[in-house]
Amino acid sequence: MNDLAARRARSALSARAGALLLSLLLGAASVLGFAPFYYWPVPIAALAGLAWLIQHAATPRRAALLGLAFGLGYFVTGVSWVFVSMHRYGGMSVPLASFATLFFCTYLALFPAAAAWIARRARSDGGRLALVFPAAWALAEWVRGWMFTGFPWLAVGYAQSPAGPLSGFAPIVGAYGVSLLSALSAGLLVWWSPWRPLRRPGAGIWVAFLHPAAAILAGVWLTALALKPVAWTAPEGAPVSVSLVQGNIEQEMKWRPERAQASLDTYLQLTLSSDSRLILLPETALPLLSVDVPVAYLDMLKTHAQRQGGDILLGVPEYVPAGAERESGGAPGAPDGEARYYNSVMSYGASPTQVYRKHHLVPFGDYFPRWFFVTWVMSALDIPMSSFSRGDARQQPLAVAGQRVAANICYEDVFGEEIIGQLPAATVLANFTNDAWWGDSAASEQHLQMSQMRAQEAGRYMLRATNTGVTAIIDQRGRVLESAPEFAVAVVRGSVQGFSGSTPYVWWGNWPFLAIAAAMLFPLLRLR
């Protein structure tokens, strides 16, 4: 009897370990759904596998461990490129950067763990699982998108952009809504389970398709396909020629004083070679404070833009002296007795000079947060230009070259509900970024895919001017029309069509998604 009990215990332990390993592998495989791979069905299949494991977990605690394993596979595979920024560019030692990366990925994995715990705690199976699991998953992604300033990277909905059928819902419910529908599809597959033997042998294959899960699944996907060609916005005015300048300045050299002139010369030559009406230079293209950039240099840029009858938008660290905040459109309530630094985009050319100041700052990149549990990172990193002030939350589009450009800088375009703050007034979206921080990794391509989702949500072109890539022109359906290879000096030329009008997402933001997720989750929780 003792031997039998021991064998059963070993078998149970082996089964639990196997389930954890499978969940880990499913999480890692999910990354194939995102750029640069774009295999959008993979995350749905992986989530179906996770939902099945959760359904068969003995307790909510084991379900949470399965979710944690899935999250570790997901994020260690998908976002471990943060190691590059911390070690190569932040000056961290390899052991410390490795620990910080694992710590960060473990924190992110807590959100899938929470979703799995909720799904199992609600005693989810069958139809209940098909509703509770996707609602918990999508809400966990949404919370991850704002907690501690937010890190919405690799939300499952992004895997559907631009070609996935479910992206037809993007202009209505946004990226998180598409995540909800992706996870719902996974839950419905588990409920339906058409691969299982039919309970009524001889009844025919049609019995499987009479299952309610099959009907709901077909309804969601057919609706998504019907929505894909819908034009939510309309063209406004004539197309405008545009040039997006990619200087390919090495991150190690970018802020060295002795290399500043070389950077200025590179961007000047590339700009003067462009005959477009609208020219964009990337985030902090000029590695000097705005007050230190030679006046003659800015005059050359301005004169060139005026000759084309247009404007140049360029990224530059802006210095605002003490007492000038209110005059220059700074954040209301900023102390007049204190000088400020902003990560800004400035316009020069035929239109009056205008400024956009980055609002959503990146912790450890744009500023050092004072979070007690990560203060040890602050003393280990050596990142230049990391003490920026926050720009105004509501800023007007830049009226340049006959367009109204909704500017956003770097990380800001991963927050869909913030991007729509300048809509419907803006006719074009523009992202100014420097993804050189992440080295030769998938991060730049993943960032591009998130910009593609923003274009679909807003029904507008997205222009991406980057230092090392991916510099691209994206149309209102999220398709890349023109792009430059990464880590090359290049100028992307093309035309941009302005659009007017509003998608449902522009009007309502994430509220419809939150209402639907809450409706799916709240009545089904039967917590003891």
Side-chain angles (χ1 to χ4, degrees), residues 183-364:
L184 175 63
S185 300
L188 290 171
L189 285 172
V190 175
W191 182 24
W192 180 23
S193 299
W195 53 83
R196 292 185 303 188
L198 297 175
R199 293 185 178 182
R200 295 171 56 190
I205 191 63
W206 295 107
V207 172
F209 291 97
L210 294 177
H211 195 287
I216 299 171
L217 191 63
V220 169
W221 283 73
L222 289 175
T223 302
L225 290 170
L227 289 171
K228 284 282 283 185
V230 173
W232 298 97
T233 54
E236 179 180 297
V240 174
S241 59
V242 63
S243 292
L244 311 177
V245 179
Q246 180 174 294
N248 193 35
I249 307 299
E250 295 180 19
Q251 191 61 35
E252 298 98 326
M253 305 295 179
K254 184 175 177 68
W255 298 107
R256 293 188 180 182
E258 68 273 16
R259 294 300 300 270
Q261 189 60 51
S263 296
L264 293 174
D265 292 343
T266 295
Y267 278 110
L268 179 62
Q269 293 169 11
L270 293 173
T271 301
L272 296 181
S273 70
S274 304
D275 57 2
S276 299
R277 189 178 174 193
L278 180 60
I279 301 173
L280 275 63
L281 278 62
E283 175 188 16
T284 58
L286 308 187
L288 299 172
L289 292 175
S290 56
V291 294
D292 294 329
V293 179
V295 174
Y297 184 90
L298 294 176
D299 286 342
M300 283 189 285
L301 294 178
K302 184 175 182 178
T303 300
H304 177 73
Q306 290 173 335
R307 289 196 189 111
Q308 313 305 322
D311 297 274
I312 295 173
L313 296 177
L314 59 88
V316 61
E318 181 193 5
Y319 171 74
V320 178
E325 285 286 343
R326 299 185 187 279
E327 297 177 9
S328 59
D336 288 343
E338 182 179 337
R340 294 281 175 138
Y341 301 86
Y342 295 96
N343 190 348
S344 298
V345 168
M346 293 184 168
S347 72
Y348 296 93
S351 304
T353 298
Q354 300 155 74
V355 180
Y356 170 80
R357 293 168 176 167
K358 188 176 183 181
H359 169 71
H360 198 129
L361 304 180
V362 181
F364 308 109

Side-chain angles (χ1 to χ4, degrees), residues 388-464:
F388 286 118
S389 297
R390 194 180 306 276
D392 208 345
R394 293 291 180 181
Q395 301 181 55
Q396 294 300 312
L398 305 176
V400 292
Q403 299 293 328
R404 298 183 298 277
V405 179
N408 54 87
I409 298 176
C410 192
Y411 192 62
E412 287 186 309
D413 71 335
V414 306
F415 301 95
E417 198 162 33
E418 295 181 11
I419 294 297
I420 62 176
Q422 298 185 60
L423 299 173
T427 56
V428 176
L429 308 178
N431 178 248
F432 302 79
T433 193
N434 176 27
D435 283 340
W437 289 105
W438 318 123
D440 188 8
S441 68
S444 297
E445 294 277 0
Q446 292 170 355
H447 196 180
L448 170 70
Q449 189 175 33
M450 300 172 91
S451 290
Q452 292 174 281
M453 177 61 80
R454 297 290 87 83
Q456 290 179 284
E457 290 172 343
R460 282 162 172 77
Y461 273 56
M462 169 69 87
L463 305 178
R464 301 193 80 241

Side-chain angles (χ1 to χ4, degrees), residues 14-183:
S14 177
R16 289 197 294 270
L20 287 172
L21 178 60
L22 176 58
S23 188
L24 182 79
L25 294 175
L26 287 171
S30 298
V31 178
L32 293 173
F34 300 89
F37 309 105
Y38 289 99
Y39 298 137
W40 55 263
V42 175
I44 295 176
L47 284 179
L50 176 62
W52 184 86
L53 290 171
I54 292 170
Q55 181 176 264
H56 291 84
T59 64
R61 179 176 175 273
R62 290 184 186 174
L65 289 175
L66 290 168
L68 184 69
F70 186 96
L72 283 172
Y74 194 36
F75 293 113
V76 169
T77 304
V79 301
S80 56
W81 37 258
V82 297
F83 172 87
V84 178
S85 63
M86 288 188 286
H87 169 59
R88 183 174 175 182
Y89 302 120
M92 269 192 179
S93 65
V94 171
L96 187 57
S98 300
F99 174 77
T101 300
L102 183 60
F103 179 89
F104 179 60
C105 292
T106 303
Y107 158 73
L108 297 176
L110 294 176
F111 293 93
W117 185 90
I118 291 171
R120 183 64 186 84
R121 188 71 175 85
R123 291 181 280 180
S124 299
D125 58 6
R128 179 172 293 145
L129 176 78
L131 294 179
V132 175
F133 171 71
W137 179 274
L139 286 171
E141 285 192 340
W142 174 73
V143 172
R144 174 164 64 87
W146 55 260
M147 184 175 284
F148 301 124
T149 78
F151 189 78
W153 220 273
L154 292 189
V156 167
Y158 287 115
Q160 291 289 317
S161 185
L166 292 179
S167 66
F169 282 100
I172 302 175
V173 292
Y176 292 122
V178 177
S179 287
L180 178 67
L181 293 169
S182 298

